[in-house]
Amino acid sequence: MKNVEPTPLRLSLQPNNLMTPIRTMLFGSAFVVAGLAAIVFGGELATLTCQRLEPTQGSCQFVRSRLLGSDETTIPLNQFQGAKVDVIAFSKRDAYRVVLLTDGGKVPFTTASSGGAEEKQKNADRINAFISNSGKTSLHVQQDDRWLAYPFGGIFVLLGGGVVLGSLRVLRRG
């Protein structure tokens, strides 16, 4: 530490160590990276579109879209058994997700989250109603989980960016 402003009533000290603002900048950068990761990988839009040509013929297109691309899966109706809401138990709060039941096993339709259990149950019920009723010719179900990831990630980016900019300001003055 070095004496910056000596007066009879006040003594101000300024750190002479450059490591403190650099550490703070790294800390803020971690928040920026976590926020960007939440935006890029956390937000997801799941869409299931089914077309039935005859009572036993047809297929469903399952598309999972993220910021950096999408995955598409085709499920023949004769291999599609329905949907259900999986409950993933955590110590403090349960998480819920819709899974598609096929002859090949479970296919996660949505990401697991602690909120939106009612909406997820409604989507599973709509899928099951379509599968069980051969008179229905089409189905379109969408689950948008981007509403949480984008603002959450944005807050982290803004807070971390503020810390980084504050650290740069300290470094520039020092």
Side-chain angles (χ1 to χ4, degrees), residues 8 17 29 32 51 61 79 87 97 107 173:
N17 184 357
S29 297
V32 170
Q51 295 295 321
Q61 301 295 320
Q79 295 179 11
V87 179
R97 71 176 180 182
V107 177
R173 278 189 304 173

Side-chain angles (χ1 to χ4, degrees), residues 21-35:
I22 291 173
R23 283 187 196 123
T24 306
M25 191 181 326
L26 290 173
F27 179 74
S29 297
F31 275 82
V32 170
V33 169

Side-chain angles (χ1 to χ4, degrees), residues 71-91:
D71 299 323
E72 186 174 327
T73 305
T74 301
I75 305 170
L77 274 180
N78 62 357
Q79 295 179 11
F80 199 176
Q81 299 167 359
K84 72 173 193 165
V85 176
D86 267 354
V87 179
I88 302 164
F90 292 109
S91 61

Side-chain angles (χ1 to χ4, degrees), residues 24-59:
T24 306
M25 191 181 326
L26 290 173
F27 179 74
S29 297
F31 275 82
V32 170
V33 169
L36 290 173
I39 291 169
V40 171
F41 300 111
E44 183 174 274
L45 173 66
T47 306
L48 181 70
T49 305
C50 299
Q51 295 295 321
R52 181 177 279 136
L53 306 173
E54 292 180 16
T56 59
Q57 287 186 329
S59 65

Side-chain angles (χ1 to χ4, degrees), residues 14 18 26-27 37 41-42 47 51 53 64 82 90 100 109 111-113 116 123 126 130 145 155 157:
Q14 179 178 356
L18 286 176
L26 290 173
F27 179 74
F41 300 111
T47 306
Q51 295 295 321
L53 306 173
R64 188 178 300 162
F90 292 109
L100 307 176
F109 178 63
T111 55
S113 63
N123 284 340
R126 287 183 61 208
F130 174 78
D145 291 330
I155 289 170
V157 168

